[in-house]
Amino acid sequence: MGIIERIKEIEAEMARTQKNKATEYHLGQLKAKIAKLRTQLLEPPKGASGGGEGFEVTKYGHGRVALIGFPSVGKSTLLTMLTGTHSEAASYEFTTLTCIPGVIHYNDTKIQLLDLPGIIEGASEGKGRGRQVIAVAKSSDLVLMVLDASKSEGHRQILTKELEAVGLRLNKKPPQIYFKKKKTGGISFNTTAPLTHIDEKLCYQILHEYKIHNAEVLFRENATVDDFIDVIEGNRKYIKCVYVYNKIDVVGIDDVDRLARQPNSIVISCNLKLNLDRLLARMWDEMGLVRVYSKPQGQQPDFDEPFVLSSDRGGCTVEDFCNHVHRTLVKDMKYALVWGTSARHNPQNCGLSQHLEDEDVVQVVKKKERDEGGRGRFKSHSNAPARIADREKKAPLKQ
């Protein structure tokens, strides 16, 4: 029996199992089995060569955004309008067969936009080259799920299910669970919050399913069984997602109002070029890009080329800014002067841990270089020998 058939068999068993207090341990074990099988499904077959056409393109710019959706929802048209890069668009499905990159120039930054082929139901199992599409989405900073406003809401649920099946968690934060394997000592289970979805016995059964018999487990929040399995797997990608509803010009105003009020959603029309500016602003807010301008000592700030920081790519502190300028600047820095919304007063004397905000101005003051003779005009050490016997004896005083 293949992996896909075994997954479907376990899913059927979970569907016909009643959910109550007596069956929660059995359901937890079945969830762990499915997670293990799906991990095996994503691994390349043994002995297979690395050949074959892939979709991966070189990272460029200050952020990467991937367009994911069903065929013929307007992904290629949206790429052409936002970047100016030509992507073939037609009335038939699967017009785009490979990954087409483009660059959005917005707020003095460069954001890479990827137009991916449309995926269908069963993409997590390899249908329609879905694995390559989802692999590129894992390397992105933001996912734009393009949906047809005139179609049913089931498309959004199908796409979310397919992405979660391969380890993509949309608009979720990593669970606060500490997990570490050990060589000996058994399983140590602790919690700092009351648990309602999982207990110590179920935790042991899931770990035994993974053949883990020595580990430390600490729950810092009321997590679920799925959260604990995600921590054990360790290959989950938590990524932000914006649901983009295209073709609002073919539906009524009531439907547009309902879609626009849903969380993490925005409505556009590529045909009439409606709401594209708000889509760019929403992308900017979700990616959390921070522009920082440098100010040389005694000169005006350089507002032409900002240093772009991001919490997802390194961080947004003064130390991260110094690493962007030069890797040795952190050692030579004495303090930094910061102007902007992150400073309590302008300028503010800050250290390496100061968190920077958008359009801040930073001036780095370096330490003064020491002379070989000592500090200033006073020597910090003597040139005399260390032993008294080796010192030069002075001549006796004349009487």
Side-chain angles (χ1 to χ4, degrees):
M1 184 182 295
I3 297 178
I4 298 176
E5 288 77 11
R6 289 165 63 188
I7 290 176
K8 291 182 178 179
E9 184 180 350
I10 296 175
E11 287 178 343
E13 184 179 351
M14 291 178 62
R16 62 176 178 263
T17 303
Q18 294 183 355
K19 295 181 180 180
N20 51 46
K21 198 71 176 177
T23 60
E24 62 179 4
Y25 300 108
H26 179 60
L27 290 173
Q29 285 183 315
L30 293 179
K31 289 180 179 179
K33 288 181 180 180
I34 286 183
K36 286 178 59 180
L37 292 173
R38 282 178 175 161
T39 303
Q40 296 176 14
L41 193 63
L42 294 177
E43 295 176 352
K46 294 182 180 180
S49 61
E53 183 184 357
F55 293 152
E56 186 57 41
V57 293
T58 305
K59 279 193 173 184
Y60 177 80
H62 305 107
R64 171 179 276 197
V65 180
L67 296 173
I68 285 184
F70 279 98
S72 298
V73 293
K75 300 186 297 298
S76 300
T77 307
L78 182 61
L79 175 82
T80 303
M81 287 189 172
L82 294 181
T83 66
T85 304
H86 177 69
S87 180
E88 186 178 355
S91 58
Y92 53 88
E93 296 184 349
F94 296 105
T95 309
T96 303
L97 299 177
T98 184
C99 178
I100 300 177
V103 180
I104 303 174
H105 296 271
Y106 186 73
N107 284 349
D108 296 331
T109 61
K110 299 174 183 177
I111 301 174
Q112 188 180 39
L113 187 65
L114 302 180
D115 179 21
L116 298 172
I119 61 177
I120 57 177
E121 189 173 1
S124 59
E125 301 171 0
K127 294 182 180 178
R129 306 195 71 180
R131 291 185 192 175
Q132 294 96 322
V133 174
I134 295 171
V136 176
K138 277 191 173 183
S139 65
S140 304
D141 302 310
L142 177 68
V143 169
L144 293 184
M145 187 181 292
V146 185
L147 302 166
D148 193 337
S150 61
K151 299 294 178 63
S152 63
E153 191 65 20
H155 284 191
R156 172 173 168 176
Q157 299 175 0
I158 292 173
L159 287 174
T160 304
K161 182 180 178 181
E162 294 294 331
L163 295 178
E164 287 191 349
V166 294
L168 271 174
R169 301 291 179 261
L170 304 179
N171 297 324
K172 292 182 180 179
K173 294 182 179 180
Q176 297 297 316
I177 302 174
Y178 173 77
F179 173 74
K180 182 181 180 181
K181 293 182 182 180
K182 298 189 300 182
K183 293 183 178 179
T184 58
I187 297 175
S188 173
F189 180 87
N190 292 292
T191 177
T192 59
L195 302 179
T196 59
H197 306 288
I198 191 173
D199 56 8
E200 188 172 356
K201 180 182 177 183
L202 182 54
C203 174
Y204 284 10
Q205 290 184 349
I206 294 174
L207 290 175
H208 290 166
E209 186 67 34
Y210 281 91
K211 297 181 181 179
I212 299 174
H213 306 288
N214 301 285
E216 289 183 14
V217 180
L218 173 61
F219 283 80
R220 296 191 178 98
E221 64 178 5
N222 185 18
T224 62
V225 177
D226 296 325
D227 294 335
F228 184 52
I229 293 175
D230 289 346
V231 173
I232 297 175
E233 288 284 345
N235 58 355
R236 304 307 191 220
K237 172 75 173 181
Y238 296 86
I239 191 169
K240 296 179 181 178
C241 177
V242 176
Y243 303 100
V244 181
Y245 289 92
N246 189 21
K247 304 180 182 179
I248 60 173
D249 51 321
V250 298
V251 297
I253 189 64
D254 295 336
D255 295 332
V256 174
D257 183 67
R258 176 180 56 83
L259 295 174
R261 294 182 184 276
Q262 292 184 1
N264 303 313
S265 299
I266 191 166
V267 292
I268 64 168
S269 173
C270 293
N271 186 25
L272 301 180
K273 299 182 181 180
L274 296 177
N275 220 21
L276 296 180
D277 52 347
R278 185 165 294 183
L279 174 61
L280 290 173
R282 184 63 179 270
M283 288 169 50
W284 176 267
D285 294 338
E286 292 292 340
M287 296 180 70
L289 298 180
V290 174
R291 293 166 293 172
V292 179
Y293 301 97
S294 61
K295 181 184 180 303
Q297 201 164 358
Q299 302 179 22
Q300 293 294 325
D302 182 16
F303 291 112
D304 295 331
E305 290 291 334
F307 292 90
V308 182
L309 309 178
S310 172
S311 57
D312 296 333
R313 293 191 177 190
C316 300
T317 62
V318 173
E319 182 178 1
D320 303 318
F321 169 76
C322 293
N323 290 329
H324 269 69
V325 178
H326 199 274
R327 63 176 181 271
T328 62
L329 188 58
V330 175
K331 298 179 181 179
D332 300 334
M333 191 190 91
K334 185 177 182 181
Y335 61 88
L337 297 176
V338 179
W339 291 262
T341 55
S342 66
R344 296 181 180 178
H345 47 82
N346 292 319
Q348 181 180 350
N349 192 325
C350 302
L352 292 173
S353 61
Q354 173 71 15
H355 187 79
L356 300 175
E357 296 181 2
D358 192 27
E359 294 188 317
D360 279 358
V361 177
V362 178
Q363 174 184 328
V364 178
V365 180
K366 300 172 69 174
K367 299 174 184 176
K368 293 183 179 179
E369 297 182 359
R370 297 181 180 178
D371 298 330
E372 293 183 0
R375 294 175 297 196
R377 56 195 181 93
F378 299 102
K379 290 186 177 181
S380 60
H381 60 277
S382 175
N383 295 327
R387 292 181 7 176
I388 296 178
D390 296 337
R391 293 181 182 177
E392 183 182 355
K393 295 182 180 180
K394 296 182 179 180
L397 296 174
K398 294 182 180 179
Q399 294 181 351

